[in-house]
């Protein structure tokens, strides 16, 4: 099986220095463990690899003392802990190690941002660099993909998504089973063991509603009414779903024009396959009536990957007025507004009059299946 080089591998190697920590965050099954193995091969030095989900690891590390950690490391200068959020006081443990053991380099990975970020945030301030790993990106795939296959493969990815193992799955049946397994066994695992949350049915129903409303304005109050939950509970669940890298929120762009919508948000999935599996629709593109939505979600998720991997300083928004003039995607960067419309097929797209009048110096583009790779590279 040929493994695709991940976009952040070289950056991690550059950032990982003695007495520093690299943190890799990402959803389950996106390839964190494989990436770690690739990094180990690249460093080519004695290492210690732990899995935080192994209870014995927590037991070994629980005695917070310099001598204990020196004994554990036994002279090794590279420590990797996968699923590090499972280990209590991991922030304090790693801080003591890198402060007191000269030359030690540390890699921590986690599938849960609310656990790992919270526990290492303050103790490792100034000592860590965080990277996010997503399902495979178009840029990563394009490095190994034959150009003649790209169009058909893109149609497949719009439906089944970009989880690494899917590239080696044969046929719709096998891919469908894989996505169902992710949803049933992995998707909500971190949330359901966090803070005593046990009502998986309501979480799934909330996700399904978001799946049907992908790219549309979402009212948390309306979601609560449909699910029999308070607005506060809906907002809390959505926040948790974002922190385990299933969905992400985009707010409305405004510079205080009265007609611009900013109260409600839009939600997108990090992976099309998860979205489609949740609504039990893995039909091919040719048989669907939501190709525009699939394309929009896919382009948004791909742009998020690109921005994260290249460490862009950017703010992302949608734009809409109360009289329903709208733009799919707005980036605020380099002192300029960049506006984008997502269209699956090549077509002429007019700039909304209100946008052109309010932001005459902005740059407007249409992203289609013909020019998307240029935009993402």
């Amino acid at each position: 099986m040929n493994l695709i080089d991940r976009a952040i591998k070289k950056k991690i190697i550059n950032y990982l220095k003695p007495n520093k920590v690299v943190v890799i965050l990402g959803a389950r099954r996106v390839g964190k463990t494989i990436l770690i193995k690739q990094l180990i091969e690249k460093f080519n030095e004695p290492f210690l690899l732990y899995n935080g989900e192994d209870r014995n690891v927590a037991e070994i590390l629980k005695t917070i003392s310099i001598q204990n950690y020196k004994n554990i490391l036994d002279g090794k200068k590279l420590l990797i802990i996968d699923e590090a959020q499972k280990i209590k006081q991991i922030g304090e443990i790693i801080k003591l190690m890198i402060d007191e053991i000269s030359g030690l380099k540390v890699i921590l990975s986690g599938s849960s941002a609310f656990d790992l970020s919270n526990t290492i945030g303050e103790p490792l301030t100034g000592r860590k660099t965080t990277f996010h790993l997503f399902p495979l990106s178009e840029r990563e795939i394009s490095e190994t993909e034959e150009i003649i296959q790209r169009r058909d493969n893109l149609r497949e990815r719009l439906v089944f998504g970009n989880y690494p193992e899917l590239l080696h799955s044969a046929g719709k049946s096998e891919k469908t089973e894989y996505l169902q397994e992710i949803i049933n066994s992995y998707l909500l695992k971190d949330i359901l063991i966090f803070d005593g949350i046990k009502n998986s049915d309501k979480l799934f129903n909330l996700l399904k509603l978001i799946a049907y409303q992908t790219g549309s304005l979402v009212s948390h109050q309306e979601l609560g009414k449909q699910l029999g939950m308070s607005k506060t509970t809906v907002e809390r669940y959505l926040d948790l779903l974002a922190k385990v890298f299933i969905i992400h929120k985009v707010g409305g762009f405004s510079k205080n024009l009265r007609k611009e919508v900013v109260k409600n948000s839009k939600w997108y999935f990090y992976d099309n396959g998860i979205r489609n599996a949740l609504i039990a629709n893995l039909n091919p593109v040719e048989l669907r009536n939501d190709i525009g939505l699939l394309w929009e979600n896919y382009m948004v998720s791909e742009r998020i990957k690109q921005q994260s991997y290249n460490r862009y300083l950017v703010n992302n928004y949608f734009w809409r007025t109360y009289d329903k003039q709208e733009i799919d995607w707005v980036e605020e960067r380099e002192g300029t507004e960049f506006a984008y419309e997502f269209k699956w097929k090549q077509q002429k797209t007019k700039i909304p009059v209100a946008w052109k009048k309010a932001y005459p110096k902005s740059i407007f583009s249409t992203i289609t299946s013909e020019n998307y790779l240029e935009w993402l590279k």
Side-chain angles (χ1 to χ4, degrees), residues 192-207:
L192 295 177
I193 61 175
F194 175 75
D195 202 27
I197 296 175
K198 296 179 181 178
N199 197 336
S200 60
D201 288 343
K202 287 201 171 182
L203 273 174
F204 268 110
N205 289 336
L206 175 59
L207 263 180

Side-chain angles (χ1 to χ4, degrees), residues 315-329:
N315 297 317
N316 298 318
Y317 307 93
F318 69 90
W319 178 81
R320 185 172 182 174
T321 64
Y322 286 105
D323 57 2
K324 297 185 179 179
Q325 295 186 60
E326 58 186 324
I327 293 174
D328 293 330
W329 189 250

